[in-house]
Amino acid sequence: MKTDFRDIKQYIRRRIVAGDWAPGQLVPNEVDLAARFECARATVNRAMRELAEEGLVERRRKAGTRVRSTPLHRPRFEIPFVRKEVEALGSVYGYRLIDRAAGPAPDWLKAQFGLETDIRALHLVCLHLADSAPYQIEDRWISLAALPDAEDNDFSEIGPNEWLISVVPFSDAEISFSAIAADAEAAGRLGCAAGDALFLTERSTWWNGQAITYVRLISRPGHKVTARY
Amino acid sequence: MKTDFRDIKQYIRRRIVAGDWAPGQLVPNEVDLAARFECARATVNRAMRELAEEGLVERRRKAGTRVRSTPLHRPRFEIPFVRKEVEALGSVYGYRLIDRAAGPAPDWLKAQFGLETDIRALHLVCLHLADSAPYQIEDRWISLAALPDAEDNDFSEIGPNEWLISVVPFSDAEISFSAIAADAEAAGRLGCAAGDALFLTERSTWWNGQAITYVRLISRPGHKVTARY
DNA sequence: GGAGGCGATATGATCAGACATATCGCCGAT
DNA sequence: ATCGGCGATATGTCTGATCATATCGCCTCC
C-alpha cells in the first residue's frame, strides 16, 4: 500500500476540523509532511493544492500554508436544462411555444449585452411542462447579430435552450437567482395567482466575447435549487 | 519558455469551443499531446484533469478523454456571511436580536436533522441591518445536544452565524434557494408588504455527522445572488 | 527610526520513468 | 449468435530531482 494523496488530504482535513490546527494557523510545510508520510513532495503538493481549491486552506509562496480564518463557502449548483430536470422528477416533459418575434433589440437588452450598436434580436416565450402542468416559463432573447441561424428555426418543437446547446455548446455565462411576484401574465401561464412568489433564474451567455442570449426562467411556485458542500 | 500546463489547457479549450473537437468526440490521448507539446505526460495530465474538473471534458480509463456531449454547468456561488455582504455594499452593518428561546426541538426540526431522538434546541430570530434598514431576517435553530455552549451565549451583541463560525469553523452543509411570500411577521420585520416575494436561503449544517444548526435567511425584497462561470 | 536591498525559504511547476488499475473490444468457447 | 474471459491501452498516481518565483524578514544605510 502506497501513500495516497487522499490519505494526506484526509489527515490534514481531520486535524483542521478537529481544531488541532486552528484557523489562521500555519500548517506544516510540504517537505515536513512529505517526510512524515514518507512520500514525495509532489504528492503532498497535490493534497494541499486540492485542499486550497476546496477553500479549506490558503497558500502563499514562502508564507506557507495556513488554515483559512473564515472558511470559504462556495457551493456548486448543478444546473441541468429543464427537460432533464423534469425527467429527474419522474414526470413527463412537455414543451409549448407561446410567442416568437424578431425585431430590433430593446435598449435594456443592449445594455444587458453591453452593446452600443443597434442589433436585431429574436424574442421567444415558451412554456415547459411537467406531466402537462406548467413547470417553467422561458422568456428568451437571442442576438441575431451573433446567431443569424436562429431566425430560420421556428422553435415550435424543440426549445431554444436545447437548440442553443447544440449550436454553441460551450460559452461563458453569468447566472443569478432572485424572487419575484407573479404578474398577471406569468400567473396565467403558470396557473397560479397573481402576486405569488416565484423563483427567477436569469442567465446571460457570451461566446468569444460576443453576447449570445439572455434568458429569464420563471419557475412554478415552490421551486427550489439545492447544493451540498 | 517552458510549456505551461495552462498553455495546454487553453489549446484544448480553444479547439473545443471553436468546434474543431465536437461534443462526444475523443480528444488526443495524453502521450500524443505530450509529444506534440514536447513536455512530460504529467503536465498534460494536469491540464486534462483540470479541464475535467471544470466540466469541459469527461475522462475514463482506457476509454480516453472526450468532449462532454452536454456541457456541465456548475456555477459556484460565493456565500459570504451577512456582515461581509452588507459591508461589501458599502453600507454600515447592524444587528438586532429579536427573539431567543430554548426548548425541545419540534418534530419538523428533528426530521430536518435526520434524528429520531428528542433533543433540546435553541431558537433564535435576529435581524441584520444595512444602514439601519432591515436587510435580512435570520431564523435559526441550534442543536443544544451538539452545542450545549450555545445556551450560555445571549447573542445580544454578535449574531449566531459569527459565533458558530468561531466555534465550528468547518462543517458539511446543504444549502438551498427558493422564493416565498412574506407573511405578516416577516413583512413587519423587513418593512415590506405582506405577500411580497422574498428570497429565502436555507442551510442545514453538520459536523462529524452530527446535526449542528438549521437556518432560514429571509432577505429584503430585491435580493439577488449571482455567479459567473 | 524609516526605507530599501537581499538572501533564505516555501510553494509552483516540470520532468522522465515506473507501476497500478479500470475497461474496451476482440476472440474463442458454448 | 451469445456469453465470458483476457490482453491491450489510456488514464491514475507516485517518485525523486531540478529549476522558477514570490515574498518574508532581517540587515544595512541613511
Side-chain angles (χ1 to χ4, degrees), chain B residues 132-180:
Chain B
S132 308
Y135 182 79
Q136 185 182 73
I137 299 168
E138 175 175 351
D139 184 326
R140 184 180 291 271
W141 295 79
I142 300 175
S143 162
L144 288 171
L147 289 174
D149 287 358
E151 201 157 4
D152 301 333
N153 196 319
D154 70 2
F155 296 108
S156 59
E157 294 301 323
I158 66 150
N161 52 355
E162 303 203 28
W163 180 78
L164 281 161
I165 284 171
S166 72
V167 175
V168 271
F170 303 97
S171 53
D172 296 317
E174 181 177 305
I175 191 168
S176 68
F177 297 140
S178 56
I180 55 165

Side-chain angles (χ1 to χ4, degrees), chain A residues 211-229:
Chain A
I212 296 290
T213 181
Y214 165 73
V215 64
R216 290 165 61 90
L217 300 169
I218 304 172
S219 299
R220 67 179 181 190
H223 187 73
K224 192 184 271 204
V225 298
T226 300
R228 245 164 285 268
Y229 61 88

Side-chain angles (χ1 to χ4, degrees), chain A residues 1 9-10 23 39 50 53 56 59 64-66 75 79-80 90 99 121 123 127-128 130-131 143-144 163 179 200:
Chain A
M1 275 282 273
K9 279 181 75 173
Q10 197 177 19
C39 69
E50 293 197 0
E53 163 67 25
L56 206 65
R59 317 191 76 196
T65 302
R66 51 185 67 235
I79 312 279
D99 199 37
H123 182 208
L127 191 62
H128 300 279
D131 290 334
S143 163
L144 288 171
W163 180 78
L200 171 67

Side-chain angles (χ1 to χ4, degrees), chain A residues 179-199:
Chain A
I180 56 164
D183 58 21
E185 199 174 56
R189 285 170 182 159
L190 285 176
C192 65
D196 276 7
L198 299 174
F199 192 79

Side-chain angles (χ1 to χ4, degrees), chain B residues 5 33 46 59 76 135 156-157 179 194 196 201 213:
Chain B
F5 74 94
L33 281 170
R46 167 108 189 243
R59 318 191 76 195
R76 246 191 183 159
Y135 182 79
S156 59
E157 294 301 323
D196 275 6
T201 304
T213 182

Side-chain angles (χ1 to χ4, degrees), chain B residues 3-6 38-41 43 46 60-63:
Chain B
T3 58
D4 190 328
F5 74 94
R6 271 166 275 258
E38 298 180 318
C39 69
R41 187 169 74 89
T43 306
R46 167 108 189 243
R60 248 165 54 233
R61 276 189 187 173
K62 155 78 182 173

Side-chain angles (χ1 to χ4, degrees), chain B residues 81-150:
Chain B
F81 46 106
V82 205
R83 184 167 54 78
K84 295 264 183 207
E85 199 177 315
V86 169
E87 286 169 358
L89 289 171
S91 300
V92 176
Y93 171 73
Y95 167 77
R96 203 158 75 226
L97 178 65
I98 294 179
D99 199 37
R100 181 185 185 286
D107 287 343
W108 65 264
L109 183 65
K110 291 193 297 188
Q112 185 76 33
F113 281 168
L115 292 174
E116 306 280 315
T117 54
D118 288 328
I119 59 159
R120 284 177 18 95
L122 182 63
H123 182 208
L124 299 161
V125 180
C126 340
L127 192 62
H128 300 280
L129 310 161
D131 290 334
S132 308
Y135 182 79
Q136 185 182 73
I137 299 168
E138 175 175 351
D139 184 326
R140 184 180 291 271
W141 295 79
I142 300 175
S143 162
L144 288 171
L147 289 174
D149 287 358

